[in-house]
Amino acid sequence: MKAFTYERARTPAEAAAGAAGNAGAKFIAGGTNLLDLMKLEIETPTHLIDVNGLALDKIEATPDGGLRIGALVRNTDLAADTRIRRDYALLSRALLAGASGQLRNRATTAGNLLQRTRCPYFYDTDQPCNKRLPGSGCAAIGGYSRPHAIVGVSDACIAAHPSDMAVAMRALDATIETVRPDGSTRRIAIGEFYRLPGKTPHVENVLVRGELITAVTLPPPPGGTHVYTKVRDRASYAFALVAVGAIVQRDGTGRVALGGVAPQPWRVEAADAELANGAAAATRRLLADAKTTRDNAFKATLVQRALDAALAQARSAS
Amino acid sequence: MKFDQPATTNPIDRLAVVGHPVDRIDGPLKTTGTAPYAYERHDVAPNQAYGYVIGAAIAKGRIASIDTSAAKRAPGVLAIVTAANAGKLGKGKRNTAPLIGGPAIAHYHQAVALVVAETFEQARAAAKLVRVDYVRAGGAYDLAAAQSSAVKPKEEKPDTAVGDFAGAFAAAPVRIDATYTTPDQSHAMMEPHASIAAWDGDKLTLWTSNQMIDWGRGDLAATLGIPKDNVRIVSSYVGGGFGGKLFVRADALLAALGARAAGRPVKVALTRPLMFNNTTHRPATIQRIRIGADRDGRIVAIGHESWSGDLPGGGPEVAVQQTRLLYGGANRMTAMRLATLDLPEGNAMRAPGEAPGLMALEIAVDEMAEKLGLDPVEFRIRNDTQVDPEKPSRPFSQRRFVECLRTGAERFGWSARKKPGQMRDGRWLVGLGVAAAFRNNLLTKSAARVRLDPQGVVTVETDMTDIGTGSYTIIAQTAAEMLGVPLANVVVRLGDSAFPVSCGSGGQWGANNATSGVYAACIKLREAIAAALGMSADAEFSGGHVSAGDRSVPLSQAAGEQGLVAEDAIEYGDLDKRFQQSTFGAHFVEVGVDAATGEVRVRRMLAVCAAGRILNPKSARSQVIGAMTMGVGAALMENLAVDVRRGFFVNHDLAGYEVPVHADIPHQEVVFLDETDPVSSPMKAKGVGELGICGVGAAVANAICNATGVRVRDYPITLDKLLAKLPAAV
Ligand SMILES: Cc1cc2nc3c(=O)[nH]c(=O)nc-3n(C[C@H](O)[C@H](O)[C@H](O)COP(=O)(O)OP(=O)(O)OC[C@H]3O[C@@H](n4cnc5c(N)ncnc54)[C@H](O)[C@@H]3O)c2cc1C
Ligand code: SF4
């Protein structure tokens, strides 16, 4: 870990301005991802701005009947909130499928959205990795790629986004609220938030330097039956090989987002339109331009089977 | 004490303390976090500095140059050790590759430098400033690709052959010929390798985490080129080893070198991401098994070949070992072949040989039973043997394998098992599986010293280690039994090379041999006590008193002012040549396989073990359930993913290398058959710590096949291997 300076921000605007003026600055929230990466010198901030003191830890109703979730609401608290459990069960279930109780107690809403990939080569500073060191190459392509993505990938990077929460947020059409260093705020639809790797896999989202996430808002409850299926190699405390987040209405229509298969929580509008026609039809759309490796080709089959099971579960529940 | 005749009745048979499920005497220290592990010995040497190990960034080649100038200038840095400035170093007998590399690099993450600084954080930060330039060389990293180049290893018995295997197999009416693979696996114990080294002139003391004190002492001395007597090793508590700490590793050597360079004590722990490639692992295997049987299900031919790889100078994974002994059959062959691989060093991990060997053999046996239309329990029973099948004049000392199978089948409800793919519970396809457990009982010399003090307290000293197994407790039980004192009056001190040399912990030989060494020392102490009191040698020791005739004296009185000390070792004659000594068991497993996703979850487990006298049913059970858990890991998830281009294990942390978590492990039941084996030792005990893992993997695999009808022969059985063959309908 490189030595760094540290400050505690008092207001969101102050945090954003502080970060903008310092190229080596980073926000730290729960620290459950950032600190690990700093120890390995995968992230090397020279200055940390602790945002835990910002009063962004509330879940409030919005005028349109949705919810605003403060950026610092802990994953545990978010999953346990009765409004979330009742109206956005998908989110609660996705959160509880992730990490461990201890980690969720620390992990924040914003930090979770911004957690970085679990590609093992990304974690090994002795290996080439375009995401960690732009231009150095991608060791995973042609190497061990079982956990990696199968859609949205590029020749530069095939890493998957590891978040469970973000899959639910994507299916729920969440919006991310931010404040920029100049004090201006903006709202970014989650569908517009992440960037595909292309030639620049180190750029993972549309945030500008110093832009602080202040909240995530949810539109009014979508209704329907919520199913979150996380498929993994062990029963708990493992990242998803494939995750399916589905919201299914009585008539069989609905929406679906996937985890574990793409560089971002994966949703395809055309697939939603096919949902009533069954898993095979929806999967064809979801994985239309899939590019698998020998190690991860199984994920294509797995998506369809997991979606099929999720839809069956939704049918039997409604 | 020479043990060369089967034991007769002795004081242990009273079973006043031995054989009882007493709590671990070190339990409170562990549960309160006050048992001092190696890295936490802040008390033993003042002014400790911190070392951080740098691992090689290539798998094979050499170091062109190392630039340490920036690191040297970094805050707090005291010294930087590399092969170039470490002085002349030897290599320990038990290390395959040098513990510090340079200029030649033997494997990925082989240590190339140690940065010593005032704090851990300073050492770690400075380590990143060391610039190493490498010249890569091509290497072999793919066992399957290297299989054809494998040769007969120098190991004492690579091949065995009895009768006419080829002819009998060709003529057998029912046959299988299948190939199985097991992957590289990591010990993944909780406590990393860690050491604190301090020099006093030319004498070195090392507080470390090590299973085999005397081996480590010899190898460390040989590496440093100093007399063995100048090295003291202390390893009082070990947070798991599983074979990964049988040998001194880079932490030990580099702590010693770092302390020498810095002129003060230095502590070094291997970081988790370094451990997987820097230290040893269980090597992958490719195994071909052929079994031929007559239509009644009697094996007429059995052949087992295994291929594994290792660095030059390394050895094979002895995966055919159990096939030489487990089932009858007149025509037999086994063979091991070893390929050169430039991956990190392969070596022992919990039940080396039998663990991966049974993972293959016990699937093959299940497949054979299926072909014969026989129940797999019945097929195994039919092929039991009471003699070494390669040398029928040699009986087993004890072999209650059939009873393990029968007892297990009864208790597990085996008769409810259906044909493959016919049991269902909602979305779960349910199946039952069975496999044999088998592990040899190894005998090695083990010494101890026992002291009686004027307060009547008995202190046992031996360099035996407790790697979380319960050694402290069973040794205390042994001494208490032998001297007729309550457990509370026994103090046990372990893991110090200043104490008599024990068998150490490994190969499940620790419990039986170490307690037998204590038994031997206690017999001597009893003689000394009786002599001091002028009593005959057959004096009775019980209730804190020594009695002979009508005289009974409190033990404390015998000690005199100075106390009495006795030291002895157990040494073995040829009983293990005359008798085959092994431990047996049967594992029963119920799994559920998610019909949609192929996820496998274990629902029930039972192990029935026949392993001689169980010295402490509580610690023995704890060993077996831990081993069963590890067996589930081997069956379902553990796999060091090899990058065959770059030559290393990619998933080198505990996020990437998955081992079972609590949610993976259901209720586990363990039954020990009530037995004693007087041929084994005066304790009449054997070991269970490795028996518990042997066969578990195959029992899980067989249960999966029973649930789904899908036979997977490549471990771990992850869902991707099932998915394509599962029925389409959910
Ligand atoms: C062992 C382990 C297992 C895990 N398993 C799972 C799993 O199964 N599923 C899953 O989804 N996750 C899993 N996680 C990841 C975990 O969910 C994330 O580490 C956590 O959500 C990150 O939140 P944090 O608040 O700790 O973020 P931090 O580590 O504090 O920050 C992460 C990133 O977000 C940035 N950041 C934080 N707050 C803001 C803000 N307000 N505005 C702008 N930028 C900000 C930081 O600068 C940093 O770049 C696991 C983590 C671990 C360590
Ligand atoms: S997949 Fe992406 S993160 Fe992984 S090595 Fe390649 S570039 Fe790096």
Side-chain angles (χ1 to χ4, degrees):
Chain A
M1 191 187 303
K2 283 224 163 84
F4 55 88
T5 51
Y6 171 89
E7 76 174 274
R8 220 169 263 167
R10 279 165 306 182
T11 66
E14 185 187 288
N22 186 339
K26 269 209 122 46
F27 302 122
I28 183 160
T32 60
N33 191 222
L34 183 57
L35 272 178
D36 282 357
L37 295 170
M38 287 170 65
K39 288 176 188 170
L40 297 164
E41 294 200 10
I42 295 161
E43 300 260 21
T44 51
T46 53
H47 182 64
L48 284 187
I49 300 172
D50 187 335
V51 297
N52 285 286
L54 308 181
L56 300 173
D57 55 355
K58 291 182 191 53
I59 306 172
E60 302 157 327
T62 57
D64 69 349
L67 288 178
R68 174 179 285 108
I69 301 157
L72 285 161
V73 174
R74 308 285 160 179
N75 288 177
T76 297
D77 298 330
L78 185 56
D81 186 274
T82 45
R83 292 161 294 181
I84 298 289
R85 288 173 56 194
R86 187 186 60 221
D87 299 332
Y88 307 93
L90 186 65
L91 179 55
S92 184
R93 289 177 190 148
L95 281 162
L96 293 177
S100 66
Q102 294 93 326
L103 283 158
R104 294 193 299 267
N105 288 344
R106 250 343 260 167
T108 64
T109 307
N112 193 314
L113 286 175
L114 295 177
Q115 64 174 296
R116 306 203 67 193
T117 184
R118 293 281 160 171
C119 168
Y121 296 99
F122 174 74
Y123 270 84
D124 186 338
T125 49
D126 290 326
Q127 295 299 322
C129 168
N130 287 323
K131 190 186 271 302
R132 176 167 33 75
L133 192 66
S136 61
C138 170
I141 295 175
Y144 168 66
S145 54
R146 186 169 181 270
H148 291 72
I150 58 170
V151 272
V153 297
S154 74
D155 291 342
C157 179
I158 58 171
H161 196 274
S163 172
D164 291 295
M165 185 196 81
V167 174
M169 292 290 196
R170 183 72 181 87
L172 289 166
D173 284 326
T175 300
I176 292 144
E177 298 186 353
T178 71
V179 51
R180 278 177 286 197
D182 62 7
S184 65
T185 60
R186 62 167 167 161
R187 295 167 50 83
I188 309 162
I190 189 165
E192 313 284 309
F193 182 73
Y194 292 105
R195 295 191 24 176
L196 289 176
K199 289 190 167 59
T200 54
H202 57 292
V203 184
E204 295 174 352
N205 54 57
V206 300
L207 296 179
V208 299
R209 168 133 43 87
E211 187 166 1
L212 178 82
I213 297 178
T214 50
V216 177
T217 58
L218 297 176
T225 301
H226 295 206
V227 180
Y228 191 76
T229 303
K230 181 174 181 180
V231 186
R232 42 191 156 173
D233 286 323
R234 65 180 172 194
S236 174
Y237 206 31
F239 291 95
L241 292 168
V242 160
V244 172
I247 299 173
V248 186
Q249 307 296 339
R250 269 177 192 282
D251 61 3
T253 64
R255 10 173 153 156
V256 60
L258 302 178
V261 297
Q264 60 189 44
W266 195 247
R267 182 151 168 220
V268 174
E269 243 107 78
D272 287 353
E274 290 281 1
L275 210 53
N277 299 326
T283 303
R284 261 194 301 281
R285 303 289 180 157
L286 280 163
L287 305 183
D289 298 307
K291 201 171 159 207
T292 59
T293 66
R294 199 193 51 184
D295 287 355
N296 67 19
F298 74 94
K299 287 191 177 186
T301 317
L302 186 54
V303 165
Q304 184 177 324
R305 296 185 71 107
L307 179 57
D308 200 18
L311 295 178
Q313 193 181 327
R315 273 195 304 277
S316 67
S318 64
Chain B
M1 172 184 289
K2 184 90 180 218
F3 184 77
D4 51 9
Q5 290 301 324
T8 51
T9 302
N10 67 38
I12 296 294
D13 294 325
R14 295 185 297 183
L15 298 181
V17 195
V18 168
H20 292 256
V22 302
D23 289 347
R24 293 210 193 159
I25 59 174
D26 51 332
L29 289 179
K30 300 262 171 88
T31 51
T32 56
T34 48
Y37 288 85
Y39 202 71
E40 297 153 2
R41 300 301 300 264
H42 315 293
D43 55 319
V44 291
N47 207 22
Q48 296 171 10
Y50 293 78
Y52 192 87
V53 179
I54 301 175
I58 61 167
K60 190 175 162 73
R62 62 187 174 80
I63 297 175
S65 64
I66 300 193
D67 179 359
T68 57
S69 52
K72 273 191 186 137
R73 288 193 302 270
V77 172
L78 300 167
I80 298 177
V81 177
T82 64
N85 68 15
K88 191 173 169 313
L89 294 176
K91 189 162 74 62
K93 217 170 28 191
R94 294 179 176 84
N95 295 128
T96 305
L99 295 177
I100 179 163
I105 298 299
H107 62 87
Y108 196 69
H109 280 177
Q110 183 182 27
V112 296
L114 180 83
V115 178
V116 182
E118 292 287 351
T119 70
F120 171 77
E121 288 74 15
Q122 288 172 332
R124 180 173 61 186
K128 284 283 177 189
L129 301 174
V130 173
R131 258 202 72 91
V132 188
D133 287 318
Y134 299 94
V135 179
R136 281 175 201 271
Y141 309 115
D142 184 351
L143 177 61
Q147 188 181 5
S148 58
S149 68
V151 297
K152 206 185 263 200
K154 285 198 226 42
E155 201 257 350
E156 51 185 273
K157 214 163 73 166
D159 293 359
T160 60
V162 175
D164 169 20
F165 170 76
F169 180 71
V174 184
R175 284 177 300 189
I176 66 144
D177 177 351
T179 299
Y180 307 85
T181 63
T182 63
D184 297 287
Q185 294 174 345
S186 182
H187 309 86
M189 68 301 235
M190 192 98 84
E191 182 203 26
H193 299 79
S195 298
I196 299 174
W199 290 90
D200 179 6
D202 58 358
K203 294 206 160 45
L204 172 70
T205 305
L206 188 82
W207 294 268
T208 189
S209 182
N210 192 284
Q211 301 174 222
M212 301 291 299
I213 302 301
D214 195 57
W215 289 5
R217 193 175 178 220
D219 276 358
L220 189 57
T223 310
L224 290 166
I226 60 175
K228 191 173 166 184
D229 282 346
N230 286 8
V231 177
R232 178 172 167 213
I233 289 187
V234 182
S235 179
S236 315
Y237 295 98
V238 179
F242 307 124
K245 293 173 181 165
L246 286 170
F247 324 105
V248 282
R249 299 296 314 172
D251 58 304
L253 176 65
L254 288 170
L257 294 172
R260 187 143 77 186
R264 54 193 264 200
V266 167
K267 59 161 65 179
V268 177
L270 298 186
T271 60
R272 186 66 66 178
L274 199 68
M275 286 170 64
F276 294 77
N277 287 282
N278 176 275
T279 72
T280 60
H281 66 279
R282 189 200 299 281
T285 64
I286 299 170
Q287 303 179 47
R288 180 187 184 197
I289 296 176
R290 283 172 289 174
I291 304 176
D294 63 22
R295 295 208 185 278
D296 293 338
R298 287 204 173 65
I299 294 173
V300 294
I302 182 162
H304 191 164
E305 295 154 89
S306 173
W307 291 261
S308 61
D310 203 355
L311 289 166
E317 178 67 29
V318 291
V320 304
Q321 203 159 257
Q322 71 291 322
T323 309
R324 294 171 178 168
L325 292 159
L326 187 49
Y327 296 109
N331 304 286
R332 341 177 41 95
M333 65 83 64
T334 68
M336 289 183 276
R337 294 294 177 267
L338 177 63
T340 298
L341 288 183
D342 299 295
L343 289 170
E345 175 175 339
N347 218 316
M349 177 169 145
R350 201 172 198 168
E354 280 100 331
L358 283 164
M359 284 168 78
L361 177 66
E362 287 298 288
I363 295 186
V365 166
D366 203 67
E367 294 196 66
M368 196 64 192
E370 200 178 289
K371 268 205 164 171
L372 285 158
L374 272 180
D375 181 276
V377 169
E378 175 54 30
F379 178 56
R380 287 176 173 88
I381 290 173
R382 249 176 235 191
N383 288 287
D384 185 44
T385 169
Q386 291 294 316
V387 296
D388 174 349
E390 288 188 351
K391 208 176 166 206
S393 60
R394 222 174 137 244
F396 282 93
S397 63
Q398 283 264 8
R399 177 168 164 133
R400 292 166 71 196
F401 175 46
V402 168
E403 202 176 328
C404 290
L405 286 164
R406 291 217 163 101
T407 307
E410 170 74 33
R411 293 183 75 125
F412 200 67
W414 181 251
S415 57
R417 179 174 175 269
K418 297 206 169 67
K419 292 229 167 316
Q422 292 184 0
M423 255 201 271
R424 188 135 185 173
D425 176 5
R427 223 165 94 178
W428 297 101
L429 307 170
V430 179
L432 306 187
V434 64
F438 174 91
R439 173 74 175 148
N440 283 329
N441 182 50
L442 304 173
L443 301 178
T444 38
K445 182 177 171 182
S446 192
R449 183 158 57 221
V450 194
R451 176 180 300 114
L452 174 68
D453 75 9
Q455 286 72 46
V457 173
V458 176
T459 302
V460 185
E461 291 174 337
T462 161
D463 84 354
M464 178 59 187
T465 48
D466 188 324
I467 60 174
T469 41
S471 310
Y472 277 105
T473 311
I474 55 171
I475 284 173
Q477 286 174 274
T478 303
E481 192 77 74
M482 290 301 290
L483 297 166
V485 298
L487 204 56
N489 281 23
V490 181
V491 174
V492 180
R493 302 174 65 200
L494 300 181
D496 188 331
S497 62
F499 302 151
V501 175
S502 73
C503 56
S505 296
Q508 81 170 13
W509 64 58
N512 180 44
N513 293 289
T515 55
S516 294
V518 173
Y519 172 96
C522 286
I523 290 283
K524 265 212 171 156
L525 183 61
R526 287 165 60 116
E527 289 165 5
I529 291 168
L533 295 171
M535 288 182 176
S536 59
D538 60 359
E540 275 236 10
F541 289 70
S542 72
H545 283 66
V546 203
S547 321
D550 48 13
R551 209 173 135 221
S552 182
V553 182
L555 203 55
S556 50
Q557 267 182 32
E561 271 178 27
Q562 306 298 314
L564 285 171
V565 186
E567 183 175 330
D568 200 4
I570 191 82
E571 289 178 83
Y572 297 93
D574 64 352
L575 281 172
D576 58 343
K577 307 239 157 23
R578 280 157 52 202
F579 296 89
Q580 175 57 38
Q581 300 190 21
S582 307
T583 59
F584 299 88
H587 288 289
F588 291 81
V589 171
E590 178 181 310
V591 302
V593 180
D594 186 316
T597 63
E599 287 166 291
V600 179
R601 302 288 181 251
V602 176
R603 294 156 64 107
R604 279 193 303 140
M605 301 182 83
L606 164 68
V608 182
C609 306
R613 172 174 280 151
I614 300 302
L615 301 172
N616 179 334
K618 188 177 276 186
S619 57
R621 175 176 188 277
S622 150
Q623 280 298 292
V624 175
I625 63 174
M628 289 158 79
T629 302
M630 215 164 177
V632 170
L636 297 180
M637 60 194 87
E638 289 190 46
N639 175 22
L640 285 167
V642 182
D643 186 319
V644 296
R645 309 156 310 162
R646 295 168 178 278
F648 74 111
F649 301 130
V650 182
N651 51 341
H652 53 69
D653 59 30
L654 289 178
Y657 186 83
E658 289 183 15
V659 298
V661 294
H662 281 98
D664 290 301
I665 301 303
H667 181 68
Q668 298 169 305
E669 207 185 329
V670 182
V671 175
F672 295 109
L673 296 188
D674 189 8
E675 77 172 30
T676 52
D677 190 341
V679 175
S680 167
S681 75
M683 301 301 293
K684 306 174 186 173
K686 295 174 184 170
V688 295
E690 299 193 330
L691 179 67
I693 190 175
C694 292
V696 177
V700 174
N702 295 338
I704 292 171
C705 183
N706 183 242
T708 61
V710 182
R711 183 64 78 179
V712 179
R713 299 186 183 86
D714 302 294
Y715 291 99
I717 306 178
T718 45
L719 57 91
D720 45 301
K721 295 172 187 164
L722 295 168
L723 220 44
K725 296 177 197 141
L726 289 180
V730 174

